Amino acid sequence: MTTTGTTFFKQIRKIKDDKFSIDKIEQYCLILSVGSRDLQVCIIDTKNNRTLLLEDYIIDATENAEEKVTLLQSLFDHHHLLMVGFWKEVILSFKTDKFTLVPLPYFSKENARTLLKMNCSVDDNDSVGYYKVNSNDAVNIFTYDKAILQWFRSIYINSKIKVTHQSGMLVNSVLQNTPLASEVKVSVFIDRFYLHAAVSQNDHLLLFNSFKITKFEEYIKYINLVLHEFKLSKTNSSIKVWGFINKNSAHFNSLKNHIPAIKPGNRTTLLNFGYKFDEVPEHQYFDVFGNYFNL
């Protein structure tokens, strides 16, 4: 744990591939996934789609954007790579709870905020971003912290920065994750404090929704709601789970008892991983890796 004033951050995961080279920064993609209480860092070599680094941090929670910037600054100051400014591309993914996915024909820049307001409460001072989700004919609209984006831009002035949202990255991951099923498939992602659920068939998205979680039993409740909506069996359907859950844990066993068909999801086949990543369960960091599919 590292302490700076009244804030702190704790690294809970670090994997670094032997093929990482500081001399090749200009061909690397840096992915930063920023949540309210966490940060994931991922580096991918764009020449061979090889994942070179993965780090996961728990950070102090704050609703104040300036305090968040100060906290991130303290983390970056202690890091040997993050202040480097010559990445080929930087992908900044926000994990805010205000977002929507809109079919492309219904979207225009002028009505982005209005469309988002149809799905959630949006304050006048909320910054609204949007981008086309590559794997789906839709636009992801979301809120983000403007001060945080400006701070990142002040660091990576020599790199192209793409701003995305976790929801769109999960859609990318689901719709580009082989093998694609001809039957209806349910994909759930257990996040810290949220459950994200997608229903797809072949390469078509049928549903995506997110649920705020306050206790474990709610994961089971909301998965059952999705299954009921599509009249899917809890014992015979294709149901995959990704995210922050240990497949040998009591929580996973509880999921399995209530929903027998549920199985851990597989890692994407669109990226290459060295042997050091064998210690990372294949069903984890599904959203982080999904950012790379939206280059």
Side-chain angles (χ1 to χ4, degrees):
M1 180 181 294
T2 302
T3 303
T4 306
T6 58
T7 60
F8 70 90
F9 57 88
K10 181 180 180 181
Q11 185 181 83
I12 60 174
R13 171 84 71 184
K14 181 175 180 178
I15 307 293
K16 188 176 181 181
D17 192 277
D18 292 336
K19 292 187 179 296
F20 178 90
S21 172
I22 194 71
D23 298 325
K24 297 181 180 179
I25 288 289
E26 292 184 354
Q27 71 184 48
Y28 293 166
C29 170
L30 172 66
I31 297 171
L32 300 164
S33 185
V34 184
S36 61
R37 304 182 194 178
D38 59 351
L39 171 73
Q40 289 80 47
V41 178
C42 183
I43 296 174
I44 297 173
D45 188 341
T46 62
K47 293 292 185 180
N48 53 22
N49 296 333
R50 187 179 180 94
T51 309
L52 300 175
L53 182 135
L54 175 68
E55 294 180 354
D56 192 1
Y57 295 88
I58 298 295
I59 60 178
D60 222 11
T62 176
E63 297 296 327
N64 185 289
E66 293 182 359
E67 291 178 0
K68 186 68 166 287
V69 168
T70 300
L71 174 58
L72 290 171
Q73 179 72 65
S74 68
L75 193 160
F76 275 49
D77 286 343
H78 284 84
H79 202 284
H80 68 295
L81 286 174
L82 293 180
M83 295 301 289
V84 176
F86 295 96
W87 306 94
K88 179 178 181 180
E89 183 155 23
V90 176
I91 299 179
L92 177 60
S93 180
F94 285 98
K95 296 198 281 186
T96 58
D97 57 1
K98 299 179 181 181
F99 70 89
T100 189
L101 291 160
V102 178
L104 187 58
Y106 294 94
F107 173 79
S108 70
K109 296 179 180 179
E110 294 73 23
N111 69 1
R113 182 178 290 270
T114 301
L115 289 169
L116 185 57
K117 282 184 175 181
M118 294 172 65
N119 191 64
C120 56
S121 175
V122 182
D123 298 331
D124 290 339
N125 59 347
D126 281 336
S127 297
V128 175
Y130 49 84
Y131 64 97
K132 184 180 182 297
V133 180
N134 281 354
S135 59
N136 192 42
D137 203 19
V139 176
N140 198 181
I141 310 173
F142 58 97
T143 62
Y144 65 90
D145 292 317
K146 186 176 182 179
I148 293 176
L149 177 57
Q150 290 176 335
W151 178 72
F152 277 114
R153 282 179 171 161
S154 71
I155 298 173
Y156 304 120
I157 56 176
N158 296 306
S159 301
K160 177 184 177 183
I161 298 180
K162 186 161 191 176
V163 182
T164 66
H165 189 270
Q166 182 190 36
S167 55
M169 298 306 96
L170 286 169
V171 170
N172 272 340
S173 297
V174 167
L175 295 186
Q176 298 196 38
N177 190 51
T178 56
L180 297 175
S182 58
E183 72 272 19
V184 175
K185 179 177 69 174
V186 178
S187 304
V188 297
F189 185 86
I190 292 180
D191 203 349
R192 295 164 177 138
F193 322 112
Y194 282 91
L195 170 72
H196 308 285
V199 180
S200 60
Q201 188 170 22
N202 293 319
D203 59 349
H204 298 289
L205 184 69
L206 306 179
L207 174 143
F208 183 87
N209 206 349
S210 296
F211 309 90
K212 190 171 183 177
I213 300 296
T214 58
K215 55 185 178 180
F216 178 79
E217 292 75 15
E218 291 175 340
Y219 287 114
I220 298 169
K221 169 187 173 182
Y222 291 127
I223 294 172
N224 278 327
L225 281 176
V226 173
L227 295 176
H228 179 75
E229 182 172 346
F230 285 85
K231 297 180 174 59
L232 297 172
S233 167
K234 292 191 289 186
T235 57
N236 298 318
S237 301
S238 174
I239 310 170
K240 296 290 183 69
V241 60
W242 285 267
F244 295 97
I245 187 169
N246 188 323
K247 62 183 180 180
N248 298 316
S249 67
H251 280 165
F252 181 80
N253 289 334
S254 180
L255 281 179
K256 191 75 173 173
N257 287 336
H258 288 85
I259 308 168
I262 201 164
K263 297 177 181 179
N266 61 294
R267 184 179 290 164
T268 175
T269 59
L270 299 180
L271 291 173
N272 299 310
F273 297 86
Y275 73 93
K276 288 194 174 182
F277 282 85
D278 291 347
E279 66 180 79
V280 181
E282 288 204 0
H283 67 285
Q284 293 187 354
Y285 303 103
F286 194 58
D287 57 332
V288 178
F289 299 139
N291 278 276
Y292 189 66
F293 310 147
N294 221 84
L295 283 173

